[in-house]
């Protein structure tokens, strides 16, 4: 991928059109406004600048460009967003020289295979698959909706089809569709199975699961991991479920293909499957992109319950609110709801749906579920120690604040007083019997609407955005004097990067690394500069910030000094730059003045401190 690809896409696509597909925008002065897609609001605070091709929300602080918007709203990483926007713009992406991976071709290969399997299910060869579907209450319409297919019993029917389409054997192997025999030669990996295509978050087929419908053999065969498929980073049906997860504020996590399909067919379209019982941190982070609450509904057998507990702690330790759904003994979601899907008896259908909805309503939080699962072990002297260790090894993965609401129940189950429980938990932690928790994400202020607010200093953001937009300014100013005006270390890093490299290079790097914060910072700065020059760009509700007023109070460029030395000041022609720098300098000096004044009142000021205090006071008075 070349930097020119990013610029070409941005030239061909208008951010107003792209965002307008998801947000109803109306013209307001020089920008467009609408209801923010990232948090709930009734008064529009989401601004889109057609001139600068970026967006900023005054309510939650989110901002960026066309790529960050698609990444945020669609839950994609940068390569996926790049491909999606490139297709929309009609841009053929440039591959880096020497790159040996086959990704571009492999997506085409897996898509060809999915079409072939789908056609086979409808053909005479797919009679066994259609009969199995009928037994499982799946209709041809259901098969079309989820792309189900059939792999015939032939040893090489798919291979022959792929070869005829121009796919070579190396690609068939890399896509996981073929297997090399012990005596050489290739044969189809999937034979005589109902096929479930597995798609990535962008909806591209990346792998398959094949279900045996009769005869002997492994119940399921799945694609191996390879160039485009990583099991630990994939959730089945997430591309279908992501919008429902956002809208309903929860995901439902099940174990297998059929459970996920059945729940979708019964209206629980926020359901995804983990493709096995071993939930990974990557899968947990995928879910957290769309909602902070997850309901886990694995099989009710012993293995399923054990997997449920492991999955709960992975999710909870990453900041999700985890609830566990318990179904009647021996049932999985598909078995419970099969009669409800397509049932001719409305009463029977409603009864099954009510049963599952009641189970969701009665879901237990992580700690109570774990406590219930080990209660029998705690009651027996022979197994009590194992039960205590099981419970404690899970609890030490969590913050004390997550444990506190359940201390009474936990202490009672362990036959301890609450203070004794905390002491035992700390002793267990010190013994080293804990699984390291993933590093928590940086804390963000809550905007009071249920979403997270990104807090960016408007003046420091404005300084970065002005440097970003003005090449001449970047050449003229001195880095050490720019950095002296900034307090936030991360903003300093962004400002220094802008002064050292081109915006095109930086944007490509930040996007490829998944770091959206710098672009949000620049968008916030653009919005603040617009506020200074056009009141219609101001936030629609009070923000509790005085920076605009402070900046306007020093908006006369004749009363301000550029960051660079006086001889260079004439070269910096933009008065907004002078306004922002003057406001930052004033804020810095006023802060230092308060520090010195406090030292003097405590009797700790040195002679040098007093000299500096008098000089600063005189300078601030002169500026006023």
């Amino acid at each position: 991928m070349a930097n020119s690809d990013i610029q070409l896409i941005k030239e061909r696509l208008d951010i107003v059109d792209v965002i307008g597909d998801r947000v109803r925008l109306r013209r307001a002065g020089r920008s467009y406004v609408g209801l923010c897609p990232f948090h709930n609001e009734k008064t529009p605070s989401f601004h889109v600048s057609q001139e600068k091709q970026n967006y900023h929300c005054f309510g939650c602080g989110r901002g960026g460009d066309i790529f960050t918007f698609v990444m945020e709203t669609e839950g994609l990483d940068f390569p996926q967003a790049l491909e999606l926007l490139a297709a929309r713009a009609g841009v053929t992406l440039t591959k880096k020289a020497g790159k040996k991976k086959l990704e571009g071709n492999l997506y085409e290969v897996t898509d060809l295979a999915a079409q072939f399997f789908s056609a086979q299910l409808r053909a005479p060869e797919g009679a066994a698959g259609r009969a199995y579907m009928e037994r499982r209450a799946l209709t041809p319409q259901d098969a079309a909706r989820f792309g189900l297919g059939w792999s015939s019993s032939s040893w090489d029917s798919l291979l022959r089809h792929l070869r005829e389409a121009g796919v070579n054997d190396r690609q068939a192997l890399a896509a996981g569709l073929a297997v090399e025999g012990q005596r050489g030669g290739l044969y189809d990996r999937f034979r005589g199975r109902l096929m479930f295509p597995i798609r990535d978050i962008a909806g591209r087929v990346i792998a398959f699961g094949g279900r045996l419908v009769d005869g002997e053999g492994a119940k399921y065969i799945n694609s191996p991991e390879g160039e485009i498929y990583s099991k630990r980073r994939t959730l089945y049906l997430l591309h279908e479920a992501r919008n429902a997860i956002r809208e309903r504020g929860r995901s439902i996590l099940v174990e297998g293909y059929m459970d996920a399909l059945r729940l979708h067919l019964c209206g629980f379209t926020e359901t995804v499957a983990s493709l096995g019982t071993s939930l990974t941190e990557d899968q947990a982070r995928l879910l957290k992109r769309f909602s902070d609450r997850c309901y886990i509904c694995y099989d009710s057998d012993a293995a399923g319950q054990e997997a449920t507990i492991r999955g709960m702690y992975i999710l909870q330790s990453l900041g999700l609110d985890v609830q566990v759904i318990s179904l009647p003994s021996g049932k999985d979601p598909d078995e419970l709801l099969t009669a409800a899907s397509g049932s001719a008896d409305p009463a029977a259908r409603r009864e099954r749906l009510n049963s599952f909805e009641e189970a969701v309503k009665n879901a237990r939080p992580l700690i109570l579920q774990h406590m219930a699962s080990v209660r029998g072990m705690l009651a027996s002297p022979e197994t009590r120690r194992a039960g205590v260790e099981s419970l404690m090894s899970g609890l030490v993965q969590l913050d004390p604040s997550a444990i506190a609401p359940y201390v009474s129940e936990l202490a009672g189950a362990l036959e301890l007083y609450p203070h004794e429980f905390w002491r035992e938990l700390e002793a267990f932690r010190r013994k080293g019997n804990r699984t390291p928790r993933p590093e928590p994400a940086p804390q963000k202020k809550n905007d009071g609407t249920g979403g997270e607010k990104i807090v960016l200093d408007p003046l420091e953001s404005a300084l970065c955005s002005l440097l970003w937009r003005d090449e001449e300014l970047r050449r003229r100013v001195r880095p050490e004097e720019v950095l002296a005006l900034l307090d936030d270390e991360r903003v300093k890093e962004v400002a220094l990067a802008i002064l050292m490299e081109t915006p095109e290079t930086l944007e490509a790097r930040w996007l490829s690394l998944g770091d959206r914060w710098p672009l949000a910072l620049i968008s916030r700065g653009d919005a603040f500069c617009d506020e200074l020059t056009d009141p219609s760009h101001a936030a629609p509700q009070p923000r509790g910030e005085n920076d605009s007023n402070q900046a306007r109070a020093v908006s006369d460029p004749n009363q301000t000094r550029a960051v660079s030395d006086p001889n260079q000041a004439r070269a910096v022609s933009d008065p907004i730059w002078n306004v922002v720098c003057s406001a930052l300098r004033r804020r810095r000096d006023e802060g230092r003045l308060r520090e010195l004044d406090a030292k003097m009142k405590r009797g700790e000021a040195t002679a040098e401190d007093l000299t500096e205090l008098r000089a600063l006071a005189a300078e601030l008075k002169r500026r006023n």
Side-chain angles (χ1 to χ4, degrees), residues 592-607:
R592 178 59 177 164
L593 188 66
R594 286 192 295 271
E595 291 178 8
L596 293 170
D597 185 61
K599 288 182 70 174
M600 185 181 69
K601 290 176 179 177
R602 293 195 302 268
E604 300 173 357
T606 64

Side-chain angles (χ1 to χ4, degrees), residues 17-24 37 69 73-74 242-243 246:
D17 294 334
V18 174
I19 294 181
D21 289 345
R22 180 174 284 270
V23 179
R24 181 179 296 177
F69 182 82
T73 55
E74 300 297 330
R242 58 189 180 186
N243 288 334
R246 283 196 191 96

Side-chain angles (χ1 to χ4, degrees), residues 483-504:
L483 299 181
L485 295 178
L486 303 173
D487 290 328
D488 191 308
E489 292 299 323
R490 195 169 178 187
V491 177
K492 288 183 181 181
E493 292 176 6
V494 172
L496 187 59
I498 294 172
L499 290 170
M500 296 296 106
E501 300 186 64
T502 65
E504 293 77 15

Side-chain angles (χ1 to χ4, degrees), residues 41 133-134 189 300 336 381 434 452 501:
E41 63 177 8
M133 285 176 50
E134 186 175 353
R189 178 180 297 274
S300 56
L336 180 66
R434 70 169 293 179
E452 291 179 333
E501 300 186 64

Side-chain angles (χ1 to χ4, degrees), residues 523-552:
S523 296
R524 176 65 184 97
D526 286 338
F528 182 75
C529 291
D530 287 339
E531 286 183 64
L532 294 180
T533 58
D534 184 355
S536 68
H537 283 256
Q541 69 276 338
R543 292 178 292 125
E545 298 173 347
N546 296 318
D547 300 293
S548 293
N549 294 332
Q550 182 182 9
R552 290 192 182 98

Side-chain angles (χ1 to χ4, degrees), residues 116-128:
F116 176 76
F117 291 141
S118 180
Q120 289 285 292
L121 182 62
R122 300 189 299 270
E125 294 86 346

Side-chain angles (χ1 to χ4, degrees), residues 455-565:
V455 180
L456 300 168
D457 181 85
L459 285 170
E460 297 196 353
S461 301
L463 184 141
C464 290
S465 74
L466 290 168
L467 290 173
W468 180 266
R469 303 284 173 196
D470 193 331
E471 182 179 356
E472 181 184 355
L473 188 62
R474 294 195 297 272
R475 289 198 305 267
R476 301 276 183 182
V477 299
R478 295 168 58 183
E480 63 271 20
E481 295 193 12
V482 170
L483 299 181
L485 295 178
L486 303 173
D487 290 328
D488 191 308
E489 292 299 323
R490 195 169 178 187
V491 177
K492 288 183 181 181
E493 292 176 6
V494 172
L496 187 59
I498 294 172
L499 290 170
M500 296 296 106
E501 300 186 64
T502 65
E504 293 77 15
T505 301
L506 286 173
E507 180 175 16
R509 180 186 304 152
W510 289 332
L511 289 171
S512 64
L513 293 174
D515 189 359
R516 305 169 197 173
W517 191 86
L519 293 175
L521 177 78
I522 292 165
S523 296
R524 176 65 184 97
D526 286 338
F528 182 75
C529 291
D530 287 339
E531 286 183 64
L532 294 180
T533 58
D534 184 355
S536 68
H537 283 256
Q541 69 276 338
R543 292 178 292 125
E545 298 173 347
N546 296 318
D547 300 293
S548 293
N549 294 332
Q550 182 182 9
R552 290 192 182 98
V554 292
S555 60
D556 183 356
N558 294 323
Q559 297 179 4
T560 62
R561 295 177 298 168
V563 168
S564 50
D565 62 51

Side-chain angles (χ1 to χ4, degrees), residues 8-80:
L8 184 56
I9 290 169
K10 295 179 79 170
E11 288 171 6
R12 292 191 181 183
L13 297 179
D14 188 342
I15 194 170
V16 173
D17 294 334
V18 174
I19 294 181
D21 289 345
R22 180 174 284 270
V23 179
R24 181 179 296 177
L25 299 173
R26 62 176 176 80
R27 188 92 188 192
R30 286 162 45 196
S31 67
Y32 292 79
V33 298
L35 296 177
C36 180
F38 305 116
H39 76 286
N40 296 322
E41 63 177 8
K42 295 181 179 179
T43 302
S45 60
F46 183 77
H47 286 235
V48 181
S49 172
Q50 194 169 42
E51 177 186 355
K52 297 184 175 71
Q53 288 293 299
N54 63 18
Y55 64 92
H56 175 75
C57 177
F58 288 97
C60 67
R62 303 263 182 143
D65 64 3
I66 190 172
F67 291 98
T68 55
F69 182 82
V70 171
M71 292 164 71
E72 289 278 357
T73 55
E74 300 297 330
L76 305 179
D77 57 23
F78 174 61
Q80 293 169 332

